[in-house]
Amino acid sequence: MPPLVDPVPGGSPGDLARAHALAHELSAQGVRGIVLAYVDTAGICRVKTVPWQGLQPTVAWGVGMSPVFDTFLANDAIVRTDVLGSPDGDLRLYPDLDRLVVLAGQPGWAWAPVDRLTQEGDPHPGCSRTFLRRIVTSAEDRHGVTFRAGVEIEWVLGRAAAPADEFVPATSGPAYGAARQIELSDYAADLLGALEKQEVPVAQFHPEYAPGQFELSTGALDPVAAADQSVLVRQTIRAVSQKHGLRASFAPAVAERGVGNGGHLHLSLWRHGVNLHAGGDRRYGMTAAAESFISGLLTHLPALTAVTAPSPASYLRLKPSQWAGVFTAWGRETRETGVRVITGTAGHQSQDANLELKPVDLAANPYLALGCAIAAGLDGLASAASLPEEVTDDPARLIPDEAVARGVRRLPTSLPQAVEEFRADEVLRTALGPVLADAVIAVREGETGAVAGLDDAGVAAAYRWKY
Ligand code: GLU
Ligand code: MG
C-alpha cells in the first residue's frame, strides 16, 4: 500500500495522525466498528461500516460506494437522470472526524457522517452534505451572515411484535399526558442517557399529540452540524426503541388520517455574533435582514415543499389544522402558518429568537432541506424583500379573496404539484446545481409512480416503516 500522506482528498492536514490515535482510543472503549452514514435524495439514511482498524485508511482513501444511491427510492427501486442512476462509477466516503461519536445505544459501534468525493478527490455534485456546506460558506462570503439551526424530531412508537407491519401504538396515554411518560419511563430514561453519553444537548422531550407519538428537540448548531445531529438522534432513537421491544417511525404519516410526524426546522440569521431576529426595529424586534430572509422563504415555500416534504406520505400530513403550517404566511407563535416567528422569553431574546419552518418532515434529507431553506431566505435578503402582514389564528379561516389579497397561498397538496413548483423555481434549482436538482425531480417522480393506484391508507402503509 502506498504511504499515507497529508493532506488527503477527504480530510484536512493532521487527520491521519488523529485517525490513528482515535482508532486506538475507540478500540480501548470497546468499539468494534464504525458506521459511515449519509442521507440519500429520497431521505433514507444509507450506511457502510468499517472495523475500527479501518478508520485510518478510510480517512486516507475513503470507502467505496456507488453513486447509484442518489436515485434510489424509499423502496430501493432505482430511477435515472442524465448523469445518475447507472450501475457505473464509484464514490469515496470520507468520515468527518469532528463529528465521530461512540454510539451509546449500540454498544460496540461508533458513527460518523461522511462527505462523498469522486475517486479523483473532487466533491461529488450529488453530495447533500457538501451542498449544505457550500450554501453556508457562500452566505458568509457574499452576505456576511452565519446561521444557527436545529431540527425537531417527532416519532411514533409502535409495538415491535405487531403483526404484518401494522402500527399498534406502544402507549395509550393522552397527548402530553403524564400517563404516557410513565408508561415509557424506562425507555425515555435510556434514550436521554444514550444522548447524554453522545454529548447531544437535549432541550426537551415530551409525549406529543398523535397516538404513540413523542418529540425531542436539541440545541442550535451550525447548519451542517444540526443536520448531522438530526441523523444521529434518529439512529439513537431507533436503536434504543428496538432494545425496548418498540419500533420507531419517523414517517410523515403513520396512519392515513390525523396529525403526523413533523421535522420542523429552526433557523436564525447572525451577523458579527449578533442575532438578527432580535433587537431590531421591525416587527417583534426583527431586523430588516431577518424580515427579508423570511419573505424569501415564504416566496419559495411552494417549491421548497418538494425538498422538505418529499414523500407521497408527506401530503397526508400537510393538511390545514394539523400544525403542519401549510400556508405561505407567518405569525408570531402561530402554529398554522408556514413560518412561525419565535421571539424567545423576555431577557433571552438575543439568544433565542429564531424562525420555525413547519412544512418539513423527517422524510426530508436534512442537508437538502436546510440548504434549500437558506438559499430561499438569502434570495429575499439579497433583494431586501419586504415581509407581508402577519397572519394570526388559522389561515384556513381566511376567505379565498382575503387570502389572495394578503398573498397567502395553500402549499401543494400532492407531490406532483410540489414538483411542478420546484421545476419552475430557478433559485432553488440553481442553488442545488443541475445534478442534485435533477435527482430531486427524478426521485420525487419515482415516488409518485411507486404509489400509483394506492389509496391514502395504502400510501401510509407503504412508507410507515421506511423513515
Ligand atoms: N406533529 C405536528 C406536525 O406534523 C407538529 C406538532 C407541533 O406543533 O409540535 O408538524
Ligand atoms: Mg411537536
Side-chain angles (χ1 to χ4, degrees):
M1 191 163 99
L4 304 181
V5 286
D6 276 333
V8 293
S12 30
D15 269 2
L16 287 182
R18 198 173 157 204
H20 180 76
L22 189 57
H24 285 87
E25 266 173 48
L26 293 174
S27 166
Q29 289 178 55
V31 169
R32 306 275 62 90
I34 299 155
V35 178
L36 307 171
Y38 70 94
V39 183
D40 71 13
T41 320
I44 304 294
C45 182
R46 311 269 176 194
V47 303
K48 278 212 166 170
T49 78
V50 290
W52 70 270
Q53 299 92 332
L55 183 61
Q56 196 194 32
T58 301
V59 164
W61 311 114
V63 163
M65 194 152 179
S66 165
V68 77
F69 293 98
D70 287 334
T71 50
F72 261 47
L73 305 183
N75 68 4
D76 297 341
I78 303 167
V79 295
R80 291 184 88 127
T81 69
D82 289 351
V83 294
L84 293 169
S86 95
D88 305 336
D90 201 26
L91 296 169
R92 313 302 296 174
L93 311 184
Y94 284 91
D96 184 338
L97 293 182
D98 288 337
R99 307 289 310 170
L100 190 142
V101 172
V102 176
L103 290 176
Q106 290 174 255
W109 289 96
W111 175 96
V114 298
D115 285 332
R116 294 183 298 150
L117 280 77
T118 67
Q119 288 170 308
E120 286 67 45
D122 299 319
H124 168 47
C127 176
S128 58
R129 195 168 186 266
T130 305
F131 157 70
L132 176 55
R133 191 181 309 105
R134 175 164 52 76
I135 293 288
V136 169
T137 306
S138 95
E140 188 156 16
D141 293 347
R142 292 173 49 200
H143 303 280
V145 291
T146 57
F147 301 91
R148 288 169 63 74
V151 183
E152 287 183 5
I153 309 286
E154 291 187 334
W155 73 102
V156 299
L157 283 172
R159 301 246 166 248
D165 283 344
E166 273 172 35
F167 169 56
V168 178
T171 61
S172 53
Y176 286 80
R180 213 186 273 188
Q181 189 272 331
I182 295 165
E183 275 179 80
L184 289 184
S185 185
D186 290 347
Y187 163 76
D190 279 359
L191 178 58
L192 291 179
L195 291 169
E196 184 184 340
K197 281 194 193 132
Q198 292 169 195
E199 295 181 20
V200 173
V202 174
Q204 281 186 40
F205 167 73
H206 61 265
E208 250 291 350
Y209 186 84
Q213 194 178 36
F214 288 85
E215 173 174 340
L216 190 136
S217 49
T218 53
L221 296 168
D222 79 76
V224 174
D228 291 342
Q229 184 160 277
S230 87
V231 180
L232 171 65
V233 167
R234 281 177 269 173
Q235 174 106 9
T236 309
I237 290 172
R238 251 187 235 295
V240 175
S241 302
Q242 196 174 302
K243 280 201 170 144
H244 284 262
L246 304 169
R247 196 171 185 190
S249 170
F250 303 97
V254 173
E256 72 268 34
R257 260 189 295 282
V259 171
N261 286 321
H264 306 170
L265 298 182
H266 287 264
L267 258 183
S268 54
L269 197 59
W270 296 65
R271 192 174 266 145
H272 307 307
V274 174
N275 185 351
L276 300 179
H277 298 256
D281 58 3
R282 301 297 177 94
R283 285 158 283 185
Y284 303 120
M286 287 188 279
T287 61
E291 282 204 351
S292 294
F293 188 85
I294 293 174
S295 176
L297 258 178
L298 294 179
T299 300
H300 293 284
L301 204 47
L304 192 60
T305 310
V307 176
T308 61
S311 169
S314 300
Y315 297 83
L316 301 175
R317 164 184 173 257
L318 272 192
K319 293 191 173 155
S321 314
Q322 296 196 161
W323 305 319
V326 299
F327 295 94
T328 62
W330 70 278
R332 183 189 182 195
E333 300 292 4
T334 302
R335 288 167 178 76
E336 285 296 332
T337 50
V339 172
R340 169 185 173 195
V341 164
I342 298 172
T343 51
T345 314
H348 214 238
Q349 289 105 332
S350 61
Q351 283 306 303
D352 289 351
N354 71 92
L355 70 87
E356 180 181 48
L357 185 63
K358 296 183 80 74
V360 186
D361 61 50
L362 297 172
N365 173 319
Y367 305 93
L368 295 183
L370 276 165
C372 286
I374 291 171
L378 289 178
D379 186 49
L381 183 68
S383 62
S386 63
L387 184 64
E389 283 305 302
E390 175 183 24
V391 172
T392 53
D393 205 335
D394 192 341
R397 293 155 60 114
L398 292 176
I399 55 165
D401 284 353
E402 201 183 345
V404 171
R406 298 177 68 168
V408 176
R409 282 182 65 195
R410 169 79 164 89
L411 293 181
T413 56
S414 69
L415 191 51
Q417 265 183 30
V419 170
E420 209 179 304
E421 297 278 354
F422 178 81
R423 276 186 190 280
D425 195 305
E426 289 283 339
V427 168
L428 294 189
R429 284 194 292 108
T430 304
L432 284 162
V435 172
L436 265 174
D438 286 355
V440 165
I441 292 170
V443 169
R444 304 298 176 262
E445 289 180 344
E447 298 292 3
T448 301
V451 296
L454 293 183
D455 61 8
D456 287 355
V459 171
Y463 293 93
R464 183 173 292 146
W465 304 109
K466 295 293 183 202
Y467 307 107

